[in-house]
Amino acid sequence: MSVDVSDRAFDPGAVLSAFSQRVDGSGAIVTFTGITRDVSEGDLQAMEIEHYPGMTEKALGDIRAQAMDRFRLIDAVIIHRYGRLSPGETIMMVATAAPHRRDAFEAADFLMDYLKSRAPFWKREITARGADWVAAKDEDEDALNRW
Amino acid sequence: MSVDVSDRAFDPGAVLSAFSQRVDGSGAIVTFTGITRDVSEGDLQAMEIEHYPGMTEKALGDIRAQAMDRFRLIDAVIIHRYGRLSPGETIMMVATAAPHRRDAFEAADFLMDYLKSRAPFWKREITARGADWVAAKDEDEDALNRW
Amino acid sequence: MDIRYFAWLRERIGTGHETVETRAETVADLIEDLKALSDAHAFAFSDTNAIRAAVDQELVPFDASIAGAKEVAFFPPMTGG
Amino acid sequence: MDIRYFAWLRERIGTGHETVETRAETVADLIEDLKALSDAHAFAFSDTNAIRAAVDQELVPFDASIAGAKEVAFFPPMTGG
């Protein structure tokens, strides 16, 4: 399981346990976990995540392959949910394993930057005032220029 | 438990599960896990980690406080083992939780850089040829200039 | 040709999927054809700076060819992660 | 004054802890006093570039004062993480 797109909840701790047990020869593992957070005005009721089935798996697979190619990694996984999530629920996670810490850190950072702007997910916030699509940030697109 | 220095094994997944459940309001969690790896010539039998009881806890507490001060964090934990470890065992872990991913990433990176060169641990590799103290790397000291 | 819409583009057009006959050669040409289909289409595509396109599930610029494509998708900038 | 040694410094000196009487005012002065104690001490402290010091568990430069200190520790550069 290198890329997993699902509407089911998952425990990031269980993912890290399984990942750390299978990446033999690693000296460093970095994980990033994204959590549904109230980014509007304190009354987030739910986050709905739409995606493009088929393209999503392909895009995440491509992003992972780029990371494996660009950094000295032993393994990398990407997990991303879609559907309706409550505040505080885990949206997504990446984990990278490498001989050295710099590769593990940079690869996780790279995966996140690409995933933000190149994986076909769209978030909608449900609040007391209604439903609003989350706008993409220029800074997320700009972040790709770091690589 | 913000800083934990112990000779007991721990499961990084269990740490991440507990951490992610208590950091309310976070959008981003980053973890780094360090694993005993054969850095010499393929015959590492064990890694012995000596530390300076008292100063260790103080130094880790100071490093954590600096990270909390410098980045916008909700919480941060540092766990580091001492004693005799087998190859593949978890040596240490840091976890950071923040509203935004950049703070979580940078704080974890910062904690690792400081911990490498400012926390009183000394590693000794036990191989078929005997026991050798691991030499500090200039690049680890240099890494502090990034901050 | 199968056309797919996501997020607010899907909402504005009122469907996530439609099949169109087109002689368009590029994504940009196809957008012009789609805008002619209805007021809802014209409104949805009124600001193309806010729209991204994928041909056969590959993100492409608007001048990309759609020759031989089975599926073209339109959507706002992605907000994953 | 309590003196502590760690890692290869401890091994070379043959103990991790000793108590010394000293009139040294700085870490550097203290090192000179310690070097005079035995050949093992002199050898252990022969390359001070490879040694770090802590006064009362705080990392300090060699010109730091040890006035009022209870414990001074010497060790190689740290290799945590």
Side-chain angles (χ1 to χ4, degrees), chain B residues 111-128:
Chain B
L111 287 173
M112 286 308 302
D113 278 351
Y114 271 80
L115 204 146
K116 282 263 169 194
S117 306
R118 292 290 180 268
F121 291 101
W122 300 275
K123 292 194 186 108
R124 184 158 60 167
E125 293 178 335
I126 316 296
T127 66

Side-chain angles (χ1 to χ4, degrees), chain A residues 6 8-9 16 23 27 36 52 54 63 76 82 87-88 90 92 95 97 99-102 123 126 139 141 146:
Chain A
S6 157
R8 292 186 309 276
L16 175 53
V23 285
T36 309
Y52 184 171
I63 292 166
Y82 59 87
T90 302
M92 52 74 57
H100 300 288
R101 81 181 189 282
R102 183 81 9 240
K123 292 193 186 111
I126 316 295
E139 69 192 62
E141 185 67 30
R146 299 164 60 208

